Amino acid sequence: MSRPSVRNRKSGLVVLGGGDAARAPGVVHLVGAGPGDPDLLTIKALKALQAADVIVHDGLVSDEILDLAPASTQRINVAKRKSRHTLPQDDINQLLVALALDGLTVVRLKGGDPFLFGRGGEELAACREAGVVCHVVPGVTAALAASAGAGAPLTYRGSAQAVTFVTGHAAPQEGVMGEPDLDWASLARPNQTVVVYMGVSTAGLIAGRLIDAGRAASTPALIVENASRADERRILTTLAGLASAAEGLKGPALLMVGEAMAMADISTALPGEGRGPGETHDSLRMNLGPGLRREERSFK
């Protein structure tokens, strides 16, 4: 079956070597860049970067990581820029296919992990449909970095027997951001950790839905902004204080709700940040079982 032409598609796509004679198809690597700290990049991701002809990257990928590729490697930033909308996902899909069909080794570099709220599945499907070989390189997702950095385990025997990753927003309808379609009753059950990606702007709604569904308003909640980066910030609060604690955050942030979040170390938080209004570590720890309180002392 012949492949569909990619040179006559929407304008704005970049094809390197478009004037050369037809070459054998290249390959696409969907690579997770991790949460931001270059030291958390996997060896496999580093090898992919060093072999790339072109890197199609998100805006949150740092220059430190991009500079690990050869200087001759072409970079294409598909992030949102001032005064223009984010490049539509369909255009990104077509771009990856066009570059690969031009014989190039393409790295689609995405923050965190490609398959965790990264739309990597859509890009993989587009490559498969076009007959382009596509490999996936996993990355350290922000929740793991935030949990490790704060010393707040996502699972902990007796207080967090499960962990669930959810998105904090849904696709906009008629220009208005939609509410995520989540099983609030299930998420409100105790003894589990709920990690919300992209939920800063809907923190109040999320907290309200969880409380209405039965989750205790006193449940510890941790917000981590810019996880693993030099400007990481941690705010320890409760589910009831989640909305006010999230106000004013500008960088990418995670909302982490659950009993084990009371173990978080916020000693490195910026001045003026930390606990929610009126909260102390001791008052938050009252939500934990006695065994966890005893073991928590070893972290001091």
Side-chain angles (χ1 to χ4, degrees):
M1 179 184 297
S2 61
R3 297 188 181 89
S5 171
V6 296
R7 300 182 191 279
N8 294 323
R9 292 182 179 177
K10 296 179 183 178
S11 61
L13 301 184
V14 177
V15 181
L16 302 182
D20 298 339
R23 293 181 284 181
V27 62
V28 172
H29 298 271
L30 303 181
V31 178
D37 181 354
D39 288 344
L40 294 179
L41 197 70
T42 67
I43 294 175
K44 192 167 187 176
L46 176 61
K47 289 179 178 179
L49 284 175
Q50 293 175 337
D53 294 315
V54 58
I55 298 174
V56 180
H57 65 91
D58 290 342
L60 292 177
V61 177
S62 68
D63 288 339
E64 292 177 282
I65 291 177
L66 291 171
D67 288 344
L68 295 173
S72 59
T73 302
Q74 176 74 28
R75 300 180 187 179
I76 302 175
N77 188 341
V78 294
K80 184 175 183 179
R81 296 181 177 87
K82 190 175 182 179
S83 301
R84 59 163 277 191
H85 296 293
T86 305
L87 190 66
Q89 186 62 48
D90 286 346
D91 283 1
I92 296 175
N93 297 346
Q94 292 180 39
L95 173 61
L96 299 177
V97 170
L99 292 168
L101 292 182
D102 216 42
L104 300 171
T105 297
V106 183
V107 165
R108 173 68 172 108
L109 193 59
K110 310 170 80 69
D113 180 87
F115 281 176
L116 194 58
F117 305 122
R119 304 189 77 168
E122 297 172 48
E123 294 167 0
L124 174 63
C127 290
R128 286 176 171 173
E129 184 179 356
V132 170
V133 174
C134 185
H135 303 291
V136 182
V137 180
V140 175
T141 189
L144 301 183
S147 167
L154 295 175
T155 62
Y156 197 100
R157 184 164 53 183
S159 67
Q161 299 174 11
V163 58
T164 304
F165 298 155
V166 300
T167 177
H169 67 78
Q173 301 291 333
E174 298 181 355
V176 178
M177 189 61 68
E179 178 179 336
D181 182 16
L182 300 173
D183 184 349
W184 298 109
S186 176
L187 295 174
R189 292 171 185 155
N191 298 322
Q192 65 170 318
T193 303
V194 177
V195 180
V196 184
Y197 284 72
M198 302 167 286
V200 169
S201 63
T202 55
L205 182 150
I206 289 166
R209 291 287 186 268
L210 289 174
I211 292 172
D212 289 345
R215 195 96 197 226
S218 59
T219 303
L222 176 67
I223 302 175
V224 181
E225 182 183 36
N226 295 318
S228 86
R229 297 174 183 260
D231 57 349
E232 177 179 324
R233 185 161 51 167
R234 304 171 196 151
I235 305 171
L236 183 61
T237 182
T238 61
L239 187 56
L242 193 63
S244 59
E247 289 180 359
L249 297 183
K250 299 188 185 334
L254 293 170
L255 314 179
M256 308 170 73
V257 178
E259 289 77 6
M261 292 302 103
M263 294 176 64
D265 174 12
I266 59 169
S267 60
T268 58
L270 296 178
E273 300 294 343
R275 306 170 185 85
E279 296 292 348
T280 66
H281 275 98
D282 289 339
S283 66
L284 288 168
R285 287 174 191 143
M286 291 301 292
N287 295 286
L288 306 177
L292 185 53
R293 286 204 299 274
R294 285 196 300 271
E295 290 186 31
E296 196 279 332
R297 295 193 192 101
S298 68
F299 288 95
K300 294 181 180 178

